[in-house]
Amino acid sequence: MARPALEVADIFRAHGPAWRQTQRGHLSLGQLKVMSAIEQCRSAALGGHVLHCPACDHTQIAYNSCRNRHCPKCQASAARRWLEARQVDLLPIEYYHVVFTLPAPISAIAYTNKALIYGLLFQVAAETLRTIATDPRHLGAQIGLTLVLHTWGSALIHHPHVHGIVPGGGLSPDGQRWIACRRGFFLPVRVLSRLFRRRFLEALAQAHAAGQLKFFGDDAALADAEAFADWLAPLRKCEWVVYAKRPFAGPAAVLAYLARYTHRVAIANSRLIALDDRGITFKWKDYRAKGKTRHKTMTLDAGEFMRRFLLHVLPPGFHRIRHYGLIANAGRRENLARARELLHVPPDPDDAVSTSDAMSEFGQPTYVCPDCGAPMVIVETLAHGQMIRAPPGLRGAA
């Protein structure tokens, strides 16, 4: 794949050092680590390998990746490995895409309470779906779901929301039947929205009473219980955005969707247009507009661009992809086996291996020659910070 003309790493390398100095004391250790990782990714600073193709004698340098989960260049391989593991979990039924979004006032305090509020977003969204699905008036079944956290809007603003991938049905309470949704309809969105709003505000009030929320700057007054109760009151009446899209066109479409969403970062390199005296210009989508007018460009100065990008650094150890219900890690294998049995789907063999495992087992190449497609071999390892040297076959030729 061709390297994009402009990368987030180029912006951080050009403007990061000076900006870090001006922001000293205002950036977290996590944000500083992300900047450093992206700046060094696939450069001599991280070391690498000298590769040689025995078939056509092509030689190239392959530098190591930073593997940081916020790095735009490191997510494709991570997504591929994750998808291979998830492929065996898919059932031959309709899947639905459900999105739960926090209103702007809560998004504002979420930035200084990331672990708590993001955690509540996961917990309450999952509880809401499972509660309504279990209700006999709606589906009356135990369901499974995967939730993926995104914290950004297209313009890089802080906009926390979770995308849910949900099978269109579930096991009956006694586990003896598979109960399918009505074709093309999952659960009533209005009911989901009301329960999500009530449960989330209850949990948020409990967290405040327990002293778990932190407030700074203009929000410092919210530390007072009465002020916080007044602040919550309008949120009990406004509409909370929950929506469900039409079902995917089969399991293959689910995988294609997951490939785009599970390991996405705040902005992909492909959206960057220019880095010049005006700042950084990038493509974004205005969802309030209609048709082709949705697709726009925006220019931010380098400092603002980096600030917005770093808004989305997650707390250390925070899991942005989580599974619940039938596909929770604890009982996934047994629940899926039962679902396949009730759906009359042949079970997957226990000794099945993923594509990546199979490649490792049979020694298939990790590196492929870009000229002839033959496997390449590592002829030298470059240590961290080691500069490029002449290919082995050319040394001493001068």
Side-chain angles (χ1 to χ4, degrees):
M1 181 180 295
R3 180 183 183 275
L6 178 62
E7 298 180 345
V8 171
D10 298 324
I11 298 166
F12 279 1
R13 288 170 190 149
H15 297 280
W19 189 70
R20 275 193 290 267
Q21 289 297 319
T22 62
Q23 297 297 314
R24 180 174 294 185
H26 298 285
L27 296 175
S28 69
L29 179 60
Q31 291 172 324
L32 291 171
K33 285 183 175 180
V34 168
M35 290 187 73
S36 178
I38 292 176
E39 288 169 6
Q40 297 181 42
C41 186
R42 298 185 192 174
S43 71
L46 296 184
H49 305 89
V50 179
L51 306 174
H52 180 70
C53 176
C56 69
D57 212 31
H58 174 76
T59 301
Q60 70 179 45
I61 304 289
Y63 288 121
N64 294 331
S65 299
C66 68
R67 298 191 178 184
N68 190 287
R69 60 176 170 170
H70 302 92
C71 175
K73 286 189 289 195
C74 290
Q75 299 313 299
S77 58
R80 185 168 59 252
R81 292 191 300 270
W82 188 86
L83 288 172
E84 287 168 355
R86 297 280 76 78
Q87 190 166 12
V88 297
D89 296 343
L90 291 176
L91 300 170
I93 58 176
E94 287 185 334
Y95 278 76
Y96 291 82
H97 175 197
V98 185
V99 182
F100 292 82
T101 302
L102 294 178
I106 295 180
S107 296
I109 67 168
Y111 181 69
T112 52
N113 297 275
K114 286 184 176 182
L116 175 66
I117 293 184
Y118 294 170
L120 286 179
L121 177 55
F122 271 113
Q123 175 189 330
V124 177
E127 287 178 356
T128 298
L129 284 167
R130 296 179 67 190
T131 299
I132 301 302
T134 305
D135 190 334
R137 293 173 296 176
H138 298 294
L139 184 61
Q142 308 169 63
I143 63 170
L145 59 141
T146 294
L147 295 179
V148 181
L149 173 69
H150 285 181
T151 64
W152 54 83
S154 186
L156 296 182
I157 59 172
H158 191 229
H159 178 61
H161 56 286
V162 289
H163 295 261
I165 312 299
V166 193
L171 295 178
S172 61
D174 60 5
Q176 299 304 307
R177 294 179 298 119
W178 178 265
I179 301 176
C181 298
R182 282 188 288 152
R183 187 166 182 81
F185 179 82
F186 178 50
L187 294 171
V189 171
R190 191 175 183 84
V191 175
L192 290 172
S193 176
R194 294 291 187 273
L195 182 59
F196 176 63
R197 179 180 65 185
R198 178 169 65 82
R199 290 266 179 102
F200 194 96
L201 292 177
E202 288 173 352
L204 198 62
Q206 291 172 4
H208 187 277
Q212 296 174 333
L213 291 171
K214 300 176 182 178
F215 302 100
F216 303 93
D218 294 340
D219 295 324
L222 294 179
D224 177 74
E226 187 174 343
F228 188 74
D230 292 340
W231 180 82
L232 281 182
L235 294 171
R236 302 183 191 280
K237 300 176 182 178
C238 69
E239 290 295 329
W240 286 41
V241 179
V242 176
Y243 67 91
K245 294 185 177 181
R246 64 181 183 275
F248 294 99
V254 177
L255 280 179
Y257 172 85
L258 288 172
R260 294 194 303 271
Y261 272 81
T262 53
H263 291 72
R264 182 177 286 184
V265 298
I267 188 168
N269 288 328
S270 58
R271 287 175 55 198
L272 300 176
I273 298 174
L275 168 60
D276 52 34
D277 293 339
R278 296 187 304 143
I280 292 91
T281 302
F282 61 94
K283 294 178 284 188
W284 71 292
K285 187 181 290 186
D286 183 355
Y287 289 95
R288 292 171 297 183
K290 296 182 179 180
K292 294 182 179 180
T293 59
R294 277 189 171 188
H295 299 276
K296 301 179 179 180
T297 62
M298 178 180 295
T299 300
L300 300 174
D301 68 68
E304 177 62 12
F305 177 89
M306 291 185 286
R307 185 195 73 82
R308 291 195 189 189
F309 184 92
L310 294 172
L311 287 175
H312 311 292
V313 173
L314 296 176
F318 190 90
H319 295 280
R320 64 180 178 186
I321 305 173
R322 304 186 186 187
H323 310 283
Y324 298 89
L326 299 182
I327 57 175
N329 293 333
R332 176 189 290 129
R333 176 171 293 187
E334 296 78 8
N335 292 329
L336 288 175
R338 181 58 177 158
R340 289 190 177 95
E341 179 184 351
L342 294 173
L343 289 167
H344 307 293
V345 178
D348 288 319
D350 292 337
D351 58 351
V353 294
S354 71
T355 304
S356 59
D357 292 338
M359 288 182 69
S360 299
E361 181 180 349
F362 295 105
Q364 293 192 17
T366 302
Y367 302 101
V368 176
C369 178
D371 289 348
C372 69
M376 301 186 78
V377 296
I378 298 174
V379 295
E380 185 179 0
T381 299
L382 302 177
H384 286 209
Q386 186 173 343
M387 300 304 292
I388 299 175
R389 298 197 296 272
L394 299 179
R395 288 183 193 161

